[in-house]
């Protein structure tokens, strides 16, 4: 079939590669001049197969109220008269129950573990390199209360057979030796040893080159104006080249929407209500000046919800959740929070040389991505992965490859479809 993939981020490129492997004629359309130039550009670098949890969790509403008054808050809310924002927040709050948390986390772990297998096979198949490491994620607790609260995550990991280890202070230092310099600031941690790290931008660009070698065509600098739908079936997309007023119709037998936070805007005119909303995240990329004082893998600072990850000769510091709509402004207060977390745990780095970035994460109210067909024949979705697009990309791409090709997926994907929202 002729398949058009909308979006050249991590989800779009992995989908295109998988579809090309299935024998389809694939075109990827993106407004940017190259792959992975928006949310996939400078994310936290975590590939968190074990450390993946819904943001909607028991106790979050009370924590959120507290966070709003913190100097270095993990959550920043800028309310506005936006029905999509208010609806999304209401739905997220409705998922903050023990029952919903367990269900949503189980879905996420199923897809994440499938992606772990898929990424390992893809790495062997292609030989691509992206500053990858396989040394796990250490969720670091500064207080006993945080350590005690991790019991619900331990229970979910155990139920799904995901390896984990609860560590005391010395155990954390054994895994991340640089923490010996700040041992009095930590009480323990939760290690998920199967987690990995890597540069999402490098990975996406390397895989895009492999996809091109398989015959995938990339239409960069092309704005997607609308879907072309006739009598309940997608026929292609309407596009326009940068600086060109004339519109072009690109025909296809199937279309995969992998536009992240912008997916709902494209789908709304066709009566598809997709509860995906942009939640802005920030990152710093810092050159390593003293390897002995740098993390070995990823350290997740539970207090500030900030990930500190080693990527080759750099440290990537990423996190925070700012609910402010479709804005890409860089707030200096957010930089201050990132700098505070990394210098407090790994003192000695030169943050003055860091590059500062932000991106819009496509979040669903329940934390679970939306993958699969829509009620429009030939139209498929691969979006809504929030902070876990890099983690879940390869498994999500396999699902899309199977679903578009009419094959039965290797894992259950029915509860990932947009139909779960009614």
């Amino acid at each position: 079939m002729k398949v058009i993939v909308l979006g050249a981020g991590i989800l779009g490129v992995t989908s295109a590669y998988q579809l090309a492997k299935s024998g389809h004629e694939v075109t990827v359309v993106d407004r940017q001049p190259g792959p992975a130039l928006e949310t996939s550009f400078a994310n936290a670098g975590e590939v968190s197969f074990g450390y993946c949890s819904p943001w909607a969790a028991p106790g979050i509403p009370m924590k959120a109220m507290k966070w709003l008054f913190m100097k270095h808050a993990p959550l920043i809310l800028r309310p506005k008269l936006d029905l999509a924002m208010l609806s999304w927040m209401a739905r997220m709050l409705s998922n903050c129950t023990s029952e919903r948390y367990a269900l949503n986390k189980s879905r996420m772990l199923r897809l994440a573990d499938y992606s772990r297998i898929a990424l390992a096979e893809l790495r062997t198949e292609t030989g691509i390199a992206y500053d990858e490491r396989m040394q796990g994620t250490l969720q670091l607790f500064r207080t006993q209360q945080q350590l005690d609260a991790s019991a619900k995550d331990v229970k979910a990991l155990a139920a799904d057979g995901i390896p984990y280890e609860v560590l005391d202070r010395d155990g954390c230092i054994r895994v991340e030796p640089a923490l010996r310099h700040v041992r009095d600031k930590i009480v323990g941690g939760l290690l998920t040893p199967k987690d990995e790290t890597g540069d999402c931008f490098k990975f996406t660009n390397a895989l895009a080159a492999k996809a091109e070698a398989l015959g995938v065509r990339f239409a960069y600098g092309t704005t997607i104006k609308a879907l072309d739908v006739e009598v309940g079936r997608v026929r292609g997309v309407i596009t326009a080249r940068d600086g060109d007023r004339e519109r072009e119709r690109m025909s296809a037998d199937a279309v995969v929407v992998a536009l992240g936070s912008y997916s709902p805007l494209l789908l709304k005119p066709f009566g598809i209500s997709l509860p995906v909303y942009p939640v802005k995240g920030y990152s710093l990329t810092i050159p390593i000046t003293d390897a002995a004082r740098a993390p070995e893998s990823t350290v997740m600072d539970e207090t500030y919800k900030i990930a500190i990850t080693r990527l080759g000769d750099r440290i990537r510091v990423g996190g925070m959740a700012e609910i402010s709509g479709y804005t890409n402004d860089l707030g200096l207060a957010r930089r201050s929070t990132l700098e505070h977390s990394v210098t407090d745990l790994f003192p000695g780095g030169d943050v003055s040389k860091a590059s500062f970035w932000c991106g819009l994460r496509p979040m669903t109210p329940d934390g679970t991505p939306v993958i699969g067909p829509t009620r429009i024949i030939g139209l498929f979705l691969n979006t809504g992965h929030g902070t876990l697009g890099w983690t879940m990309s390869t498994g999500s791409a396999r699902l899309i490859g199977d679903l578009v090709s009419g094959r039965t997926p290797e894992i259950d994907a029915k509860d990932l479809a947009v139909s779960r929202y009614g």
Side-chain angles (χ1 to χ4, degrees), residues 60-244:
I60 284 295
M62 292 301 296
K63 287 182 181 180
M65 293 298 293
K66 177 184 175 183
W67 288 336
L68 292 175
F69 299 99
M70 285 174 56
K71 178 182 178 181
H72 297 298
L75 172 67
I76 304 97
L77 175 61
R78 301 191 184 283
K80 56 179 68 178
L81 291 176
D82 181 348
L83 290 178
M85 175 191 286
L86 297 174
S87 173
W88 182 87
M89 290 176 64
R91 288 191 180 196
M92 181 180 178
L93 288 173
S94 72
N95 276 277
C96 292
T97 66
S98 297
E99 182 181 1
R100 294 297 303 176
Y101 179 84
L103 174 63
N104 295 329
K105 187 174 179 71
S106 177
R107 290 171 175 169
M108 296 169 76
L109 286 172
R110 181 203 317 151
L111 179 57
D113 197 53
Y114 184 51
S115 293
R116 176 183 62 81
I117 298 166
L119 177 58
E121 292 179 356
L122 183 124
R123 198 164 45 231
T124 300
E125 174 185 308
T126 62
I128 60 178
Y130 48 94
D131 288 333
E132 70 277 8
R133 288 190 173 209
M134 293 78 181
Q135 294 173 245
T137 294
L138 175 63
Q139 186 179 3
L140 197 67
F141 306 124
R142 295 174 183 255
T143 69
Q144 187 63 41
Q145 183 180 13
Q146 291 173 346
L147 181 57
D148 294 342
S150 68
K152 67 180 186 301
D153 289 321
V154 168
K155 183 178 180 181
L157 291 169
D160 284 88
I162 307 297
Y164 69 89
E165 187 178 354
V166 179
L167 304 174
D168 59 12
R169 180 184 287 122
D170 290 335
C172 292
I173 294 170
R174 171 176 55 81
V175 173
E176 287 287 352
L179 291 174
R180 68 184 182 276
H181 301 290
V182 295
R183 62 177 293 118
D184 292 339
K185 295 181 179 181
I186 62 178
V187 300
L190 175 61
L191 176 68
T192 43
K194 294 295 184 180
D195 286 3
E196 303 177 10
T197 58
D199 188 321
C200 185
F201 176 76
K202 284 188 176 182
F203 177 90
T204 308
N205 275 266
L207 192 61
K210 296 289 184 182
E212 281 190 298
L214 291 177
V216 175
R217 184 172 77 90
F218 286 85
Y220 296 122
T222 303
T223 301
I224 301 152
K225 294 294 185 180
L227 296 170
D228 183 12
V229 177
E230 295 179 5
V231 199
R233 177 184 288 274
V234 71
R235 300 295 183 182
V237 294
I238 308 300
T239 65
R241 295 282 299 171
D242 285 354
D244 191 346

